[in-house]
Amino acid sequence: MSPATSSPIRQFVLKVASRCDLACDYCYIYQLPDQRWRTRPRTMSHETVDRAAERIAEHARDNALPAVDVVLHGGEPLIAGPELLGYCVRRVRTAAGPGVRVRAAVQTNGVRLNRPFLELFRQLDVRVGVSLDGGPTAHDRHRRDRRGNGTHQTVVRAVRTLAEPRYRRLYAGLLCTVDLANDPVRVHDALTALRPPVIDLLLPHGTWAVPPPGRDPGSADAPYGRWLAAVFDRWHDAPAGTSRIRLFEEIIRVLLGRPSRLEGIGTAPAGSIVVETDGGIEESDHLATTSGAGVTGLNVATSGFAEALALPTARARRAGAAALSRACLACPVVGVCGGGLYTHRYRPDNGFDNPSVYCPDLRHLIEHIRARLLADVRALGHAA
């Protein structure tokens, strides 16, 4: 039995497939110098699933966790096929036992998502998140298949099936990667038209060494902040009952004095970890953009997650305010921003002892949301 940890892992990302059936040109796994995916098994073996399930159950028991989240990921997880996906969910739940609730989800590009898969997920109560970047032009700008064809029509067809009454309870939401070339309001409207319960807006993964498109690390300009603020205004002014947008909700939550539940907002410790198809334990797949800082050298075949949490990178990623740079600690919005996503702080000469490469953008967005909330409060006061 492993010792309990002060900040246990609550989300386990199982990379059930190491390959993808799309060729997205912004992908942080396949389009970067880190090409370790080429040497990994294409899919996770049953034996590796067994070991991962045992490690998850061990960690949950040692830390008295009433529930854990297991996300089937890739690459593209549906490549692994229904038999393996079903085996993963059943095996983890069996290992965890009746005392631990295992909430299962799959994050897919949607191209292979069909009724047979949805019937499996309905049977196993597996929630489904789909990656979609907006309307046809916005989505197909990057998310193309290996022949260069756009995938928007196929993905939207799958999402509409997912939104049908039979499968609606499985609909976890849509994941959209922000692209400055796309109109923010049109992106918002295209996504909300599909009635997702939640929208996740993902900033492209970048660092001070390899900044995201349109982000000049030496500039105080905030193009991503303005883009997100435009989406916020559209969302804020929309009728009640529109889709939730997790980024905005968590910023509001922290502004109101509550802890964030989203990594990259607030100073709560990260609660996730990754298991690759070969059983390798990694801090996060997007840390591949930082010269392999997420590599632990551990494997579920021989090590538990408590060992991974004892490593320096794991401690730093979960250290909250203690891991922030002096510049961050002097910033008036640090309590809300929390320094941004750990990955985005990386610079080769000093590691993660920096603000986020998105620092001006995060500050712009937070201050914009705070100003809108204050205006709402004043309007309520006048109305009363």
Side-chain angles (χ1 to χ4, degrees), residues 133-142 144 152 181-182:
D133 286 350
T137 300
H139 181 85
D140 290 343
R141 191 185 304 280
H142 303 288
R144 296 177 172 270
H152 180 268
N182 295 331

Side-chain angles (χ1 to χ4, degrees), residues 192-224:
T192 56
L194 294 169
R195 301 186 298 117
V198 181
I199 296 171
D200 280 301
L201 297 174
L202 177 69
L203 289 169
H205 291 307
T207 68
W208 290 89
V210 186
R215 170 75 263 172
D216 179 359
S219 170
D221 192 25
Y224 286 91

